């Protein structure tokens, strides 16, 4: 292990960059193809604007990871970009699910109905509640379904976006003073403390997202939410734990000694794996977030419009004919009335 970390031949690095470049190209081509399909069939802006934000996560991850692998000196800047967009992608995914339910008002109304009916949930004082698993049940009160549940789960997702963005810029500040120690689990560095904070924040966001999915998955059945949920969670949370696992694996506690260059090796390994994973994620996105759903909406609208045009074209001549007949009858009746009046006048004169 020491030999691998301390010796980094240029040929191995170039090979890794070349292989990562192939996978990155596949990921970018598939992602931009999917984005182009959604933009050319942009028929439901309320849903698709958030969906595009989720899909664009793959290009951001791919480009930032490949640039970090190609030039390790800019890995910090690329990590900040990736972390900030990861937080925005999680926020976009949550809003996408809300829009699929009809918007915030309809979502709250649905949760209120679920809370009143108490279906498939334990009851507490006549209203359905969400009971937390061990050990959270001793720390958090049950959530009542309705507006309170909606606010808690949405804030749970938003707080991760705030904490993730703040931590990214704080890491950059600590790096300027030389006390960040990326991948270093030492008490005098800021990396382990930020890792713990982000771990709690991310776990809470995931828990809120799971609870929201559990309550709404039947209502979201038309969009097949499970595949979308698993695909998104795998990208956001798996890559995070993957980075932490690699950092632990190359730390002094897991390897004998701490050879120079191990931090760069750890960062390069993480970036290489992400480039490979993003190609797989892009394939999954094409199947899980297809634009065909919105193409069908466009086709239905076009069919309805064509029917309207055809009916108007068919009815218009009939309307014109009826109007002409009415005008003719009116003129005839008016002419008959006039001739009758003329005869009466002649009779009076005689």
């Amino acid at each position: 292990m020491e030999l691998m970390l301390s010796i980094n031949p240029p040929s191995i690095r170039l090979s890794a960059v070349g292989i990562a470049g192939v996978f990155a190209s596949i990921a970018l081509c598939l992602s931009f193809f999917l984005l182009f399909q959604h933009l050319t069939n942009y028929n439901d802006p309320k849903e698709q604007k958030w969906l595009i934000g989720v899909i664009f996560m793959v290009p951001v991850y791919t480009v930032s990871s490949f640039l970090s692998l190609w030039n390790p000196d800019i890995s910090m800047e690329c990590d900040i970009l990736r972390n900030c967009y990861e937080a925005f992608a999680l926020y976009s995914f949550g809003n996408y699910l809300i829009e699929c339910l009809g918007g915030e008002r309809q979502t709250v109304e649905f949760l209120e109905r679920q809370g009143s009916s108490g279906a498939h949930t334990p009851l507490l004082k006549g209203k359905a509640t969400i009971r937390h698993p061990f050990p959270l049940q001793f720390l958090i009160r049950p959530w009542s379904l309705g507006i309170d549940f909606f606010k808690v789960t949405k804030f749970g997702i938003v707080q991760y976006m705030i904490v993730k963005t703040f931590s990214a810029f704080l890491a950059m500040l600590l790096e300027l003073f030389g006390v960040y120690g990326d991948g270093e689990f030492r008490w005098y560095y800021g990396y382990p403390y930020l890792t713990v904070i982000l771990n709690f924040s991310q776990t809470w966001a995931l828990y809120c997202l799971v609870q929201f999915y559990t309550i709404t998955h039947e209502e979201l059945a038309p969009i097949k939410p499970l595949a979308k949920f698993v695909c998104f969670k795998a990208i956001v949370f798996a890559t995070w734990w993957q980075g932490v696992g690699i950092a632990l694996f190359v730390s002094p506690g897991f390897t004998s000694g701490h050879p120079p260059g191990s931090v760069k090796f750890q960062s390069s390994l993480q970036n290489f794996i992400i480039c490979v994973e993003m190609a797989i994620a892009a394939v999954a996105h094409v199947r899980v977030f297809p634009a065909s759903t919105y193409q069908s909406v466009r086709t239905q609208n076009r069919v309805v419009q064509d029917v309207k045009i055809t009916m108007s074209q068919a009815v218009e001549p009939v309307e014109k004919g009826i109007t002409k007949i009415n005008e003719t009858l009116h003129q005839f009746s008016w002419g008959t009335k006039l001739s009758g009046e003329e005869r009466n006048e002649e009779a009076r004169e005689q």
Side-chain angles (χ1 to χ4, degrees):
M1 183 69 181
E2 289 185 12
L3 183 63
M4 182 177 15
L5 294 176
S6 58
I7 300 176
N8 187 20
S11 58
I12 296 178
R13 180 177 173 276
L14 289 176
S15 299
V17 171
I19 296 171
V22 173
F23 284 100
S25 300
I26 295 172
L28 291 176
C29 289
L30 290 175
S31 295
F32 284 122
F33 172 73
L34 182 59
L35 287 170
F36 177 77
Q37 283 189 318
H38 276 281
L39 291 174
T40 53
N41 296 279
Y42 198 67
N43 302 305
D44 194 347
K46 290 184 178 180
E47 291 183 16
Q48 286 179 284
K49 67 180 179 181
W50 299 114
L51 192 56
I52 288 173
V54 174
I55 296 171
F56 204 74
M57 179 172 55
V58 170
V60 171
Y61 269 52
T62 302
V63 172
S64 61
S65 298
F66 180 76
L67 290 178
S68 297
L69 181 63
W70 177 58
N71 184 7
D73 293 333
I74 61 172
S75 61
M76 174 61 67
E77 291 79 3
C78 292
D79 285 345
I80 291 175
L81 172 64
R82 188 170 60 203
N83 291 336
C84 291
Y85 196 84
E86 175 188 316
F88 174 73
L90 180 62
Y91 178 74
S92 298
F93 185 74
N95 279 279
Y96 167 68
L97 295 180
I98 291 173
E99 289 300 333
C100 288
L101 290 169
E104 291 192 357
R105 178 179 297 178
Q106 286 79 1
T107 302
V108 172
E109 290 175 356
F110 167 75
L111 294 174
E112 292 286 354
R113 290 196 303 271
Q114 291 290 98
S116 299
S117 62
H120 308 297
T121 55
L123 293 182
L124 181 63
K125 295 183 180 180
K127 191 168 185 179
T129 60
I130 300 297
R131 298 186 182 276
H132 306 284
F134 178 85
L136 293 179
Q137 60 183 352
F138 301 110
L139 304 175
I140 306 173
R141 297 174 59 184
W143 294 341
S144 298
L145 284 179
I147 184 65
D148 293 335
F149 174 80
F150 179 78
K151 288 181 178 179
V152 170
T153 51
K154 187 168 185 178
F155 178 76
I157 296 174
V158 172
Q159 61 83 25
Y160 177 66
M161 180 180 66
I162 298 172
V163 172
K164 188 77 171 179
T165 305
F166 176 77
S167 298
F169 286 100
L170 181 59
M172 182 177 64
L173 182 63
L174 294 176
E175 183 68 17
L176 292 176
F177 289 96
V179 292
Y180 177 59
D182 187 17
E184 302 275 357
F185 284 91
R186 303 191 180 206
W187 67 269
Y188 49 82
Y189 284 135
Y191 175 80
Y193 303 106
L194 289 180
T195 300
V196 171
I197 293 173
L198 285 174
N199 179 32
F200 278 105
S201 177
Q202 191 180 74
T203 302
W204 181 250
L206 176 60
Y207 178 74
C208 292
L209 196 60
V210 169
Q211 291 289 2
F212 185 81
Y213 165 78
T214 303
I215 299 300
T216 61
H217 72 279
E218 293 182 358
E219 193 74 9
L220 292 170
I223 68 167
K224 300 179 180 178
L226 181 60
K228 292 177 171 58
F229 181 79
V230 172
C231 182
F232 178 80
K233 187 180 71 171
I235 296 176
V236 174
F237 297 99
T239 53
W240 160 257
W241 284 108
Q242 175 180 279
V244 174
I246 293 174
L248 287 172
F249 184 68
V250 300
S251 64
F254 287 80
T255 58
S256 55
H258 197 202
S262 61
V263 174
K264 285 190 176 181
F265 170 79
Q266 152 197 332
S267 176
S268 298
L269 179 60
Q270 166 77 341
N271 291 318
F272 175 80
I273 296 175
I274 289 178
C275 287
V276 176
E277 291 172 338
M278 287 305 103
I280 302 173
V283 175
H285 274 190
V286 172
R287 295 188 60 86
V288 173
F289 301 110
S292 57
T293 304
Y294 304 99
Q295 287 175 351
S296 62
V297 172
R298 182 181 180 182
T299 302
Q300 291 172 4
N301 292 338
R302 185 182 300 153
V303 170
V304 172
Q305 190 66 23
D306 290 344
V307 171
K308 288 181 179 179
I309 294 173
T310 303
M311 292 295 293
S312 64
Q313 290 175 348
V315 171
E316 187 176 358
V318 177
E319 288 180 346
K320 288 182 178 179
I322 293 173
T323 303
K324 191 172 183 180
I325 292 171
N326 289 332
E327 289 176 353
T328 304
L329 292 174
H330 179 71
Q331 291 175 358
F332 178 76
S333 63
W334 183 256
T336 304
K337 183 178 180 182
L338 287 176
S339 60
E341 290 177 353
E342 289 175 357
R343 284 196 299 269
N344 291 335
E345 249 181 65
E346 290 177 358
R348 280 196 298 269
E349 289 177 358
Q350 291 175 358

